[in-house]
Structures are given as structure tokens and as C-alpha cells.
Amino acid sequence: MITPADAIILQEQLRAQVITTDVLPHPIRTIAGTDVEYDKSTNLIAGSVVVLDYNTLSVLAVASHCMEVTFPYIPGLFSFREMPPLLEAYRQLEVEPDLIICDGQGLAHQRRFGLACHFGVTLNKPVIGCGKTRLCGQYQNLDEARGSVAPLIAEDDQALIGHALRTRDGINPVFVSVGHKISLDTATDIVLKMATQYRLPETTRLADHYARLALLDYKSGSNKPPESV
DNA sequence: GCGACAG
DNA sequence: ATCTTGTCGC
């Protein structure tokens, strides 16, 4: 398996491929969400991808894959842990999405190559990074109202690496950044549009739901009942 | 050296 | 991520 040191080298190489402008279908018809669920006791990981109609948010397709964890959790090397089940789930999808929202950072990453960038470059698809918490960067003066945005500025070079986006009045923001083939402003607009009722976009909420189901299904299916006599 | 650290 | 119900506050 790839070592953490080699993973960092790979990130440094692949980051040059990231496209930070809009290369999207017009109009957008379908959008996917991804999420991963863990089971600490069994060392299992389940990844799910769900495709929604962009306008109605109805579910058009779902695919999940459960497997053993192959890489430790190391902040900054997150994608090497979550990509294997997500890629396999994506491969099984019967509807190809126009773009994808990942549950993690894109450029808002210490080497500017988070999960959303890795997933996007690997699939050559538009991907948005939308994290629940901050990995790096600082922001200030974020208003309380839904739709408020504050720039997320990298500590090292002061670069604009993402947005803190308030999706509900007075509720903690989410962190939006470019994954691949999309601009930060477009990514921010889309995440706000998808967060219709809750803090997180519906894509992420649904993917989380299906990943949880996939993990439970896998565990119950592998529990072979004792041989009846 | 210390703190921070996507899930 | 996970351990985990009711409870404090707007």
C-alpha cells in the first residue's frame, strides 16, 4: 500500500491538474453527493454516492461499497482513506452526475489538494468540497444570516482557498472550496442552493444516510447464522 | 517545543 | 468517525 510519505508526493504532483474555473454542463441537470461511514470495531468503511435531480432533489441513483479500511486517518491525507470505497461506489452508478459535492475540503487544504480535488482529478469531473469543519485557513466577519459568506484565507501565503458559508441563520457555517472544474463562487452558490432545510446540503445528508445503511447491510449480511443441525 | 488537525 | 440522553438556551 502507498505510504504517507509517497501520498504527499502524489498530492504535490496531482495538484497541478486542478482546474479552478467553471467547466460544467449548462444547465446543470443532476448533482451527486458522497459520504463515508466508519465502523470502528470491525475496521469497515462504507462509501456512498447518491445522484439527485438538480431542480427537484429527487433521488435518481444510489451506489454504495463497503470494504476494510486501507489507510490511517491523517489530517491532510484524508482522501487516501476515503477514495477507495467512493471510487468503487461511483463506478457502480447507473446515472452519471453533472457534478459532485464531496464531504471534505478541496483547495482548503495544507497542500491545496483535499479529497474534492483528488476525486475530481481522478474522475475528471466537476467536484465541490464542502466540509463541516475547518482544516486550515482563517476567516472573520461572517454575518449570522443564511447566505452570508466570508473568505477563507490560508495562514501561510494569505491565498483565498475557500469560503465559510452560513447555510442557516445563526448556525455554524460550512466550508466550501474548489475541488475541480468549478469556480469558488459557483461552488458556493450551488452549496447554498442544495442546503434547502438543514445546515448541510441535501446531497451530503442523503449520502450519509445511504452510507450508514450500506454499512449496516454489510454487517448483517456477513453475520452468518450458526449452522442449523 | 506547542497547538491545530477534513472524517 | 466514534463514545451518547437529556437538557440548556434562543
Side-chain angles (χ1 to χ4, degrees), chain A residues 3-18 71-80 105-115 117-118 121 135-137 154-157 159 161 177-179:
Chain A
T3 64
D6 285 338
I8 291 173
I9 293 171
L10 189 56
Q11 289 180 328
E12 301 282 8
Q13 292 172 347
L14 292 178
R15 58 190 276 185
Q17 297 181 27
V18 172
F71 199 89
Y73 172 64
I74 301 170
L77 298 180
F78 186 50
S79 63
F80 294 89
Q105 320 296 341
L107 291 181
H109 174 279
Q110 48 268 63
R111 285 174 294 279
R112 311 292 181 263
F113 197 75
L115 169 66
C117 299
H118 201 165
V121 165
L135 172 61
C136 62
E155 293 89 341
D156 50 8
D157 60 358
I161 57 176
S177 58
V178 171

Side-chain angles (χ1 to χ4, degrees), chain A residues 12-93:
Chain A
E12 301 282 8
Q13 292 172 347
L14 292 178
R15 58 190 276 185
Q17 297 181 27
V18 172
I19 294 172
T20 64
T21 55
D22 293 320
V23 186
L24 313 150
H26 315 293
I28 296 167
R29 299 184 192 282
T30 59
I31 184 165
T34 75
D35 195 20
V36 167
E37 193 81 11
Y38 295 90
D39 188 65
K40 191 183 176 184
S41 62
T42 59
N43 211 36
L44 290 173
I45 180 172
S48 288
V49 184
V50 55
V51 183
L52 307 184
D53 181 291
Y54 186 70
N55 293 305
T56 68
L57 303 189
S58 63
V59 176
L60 302 178
V62 183
S64 303
H65 185 71
C66 194
M67 61 188 289
E68 290 202 353
V69 167
T70 59
F71 199 89
Y73 172 64
I74 301 170
L77 298 180
F78 186 50
S79 63
F80 294 89
R81 185 170 171 83
E82 296 211 341
M83 288 262 291
L86 288 179
L87 286 175
E88 177 55 26
Y90 187 87
R91 195 188 64 75
Q92 296 173 12
L93 272 185

Side-chain angles (χ1 to χ4, degrees), chain A residues 41-205:
Chain A
S41 62
T42 59
N43 211 36
L44 290 173
I45 180 172
S48 288
V49 184
V50 55
V51 183
L52 307 184
D53 181 291
Y54 186 70
N55 293 305
T56 68
L57 303 189
S58 63
V59 176
L60 302 178
V62 183
S64 303
H65 185 71
C66 194
M67 61 188 289
E68 290 202 353
V69 167
T70 59
F71 199 89
Y73 172 64
I74 301 170
L77 298 180
F78 186 50
S79 63
F80 294 89
R81 185 170 171 83
E82 296 211 341
M83 288 262 291
L86 288 179
L87 286 175
E88 177 55 26
Y90 187 87
R91 195 188 64 75
Q92 296 173 12
L93 272 185
E94 295 185 353
V95 176
E96 171 137 17
D98 289 334
L99 80 159
I100 302 161
I101 301 180
C102 279
D103 69 316
Q105 320 296 341
L107 291 181
H109 174 279
Q110 48 268 63
R111 285 174 294 279
R112 311 292 181 263
F113 197 75
L115 169 66
C117 299
H118 201 165
F119 203 55
V121 165
T122 300
L123 297 176
N124 192 29
K125 297 280 294 183
V127 177
I128 295 168
C130 178
K132 294 182 281 292
T133 61
R134 195 189 57 88
L135 172 61
C136 62
Q138 299 291 338
Y139 70 97
Q140 50 193 339
N141 303 329
L142 178 64
D143 291 341
E144 294 296 316
R146 166 179 162 89
S148 300
V149 173
L152 186 66
I153 303 298
E155 293 89 341
D156 50 8
D157 60 358
Q158 304 298 111
L160 174 64
I161 57 176
H163 279 157
L165 168 66
R166 192 90 68 181
T167 53
R168 297 198 69 193
D169 293 351
I171 301 292
N172 287 158
V174 297
F175 298 86
V176 179
S177 58
V178 171
H180 190 47
K181 291 191 166 183
I182 197 162
S183 66
L184 179 57
D185 287 339
T186 300
T188 303
D189 288 346
I190 290 174
V191 169
L192 185 61
K193 172 181 161 67
M194 298 307 291
T196 52
Q197 194 173 3
Y198 297 95
R199 176 184 175 232
L200 298 180
E202 287 301 304
T203 41
T204 302
R205 300 185 67 251

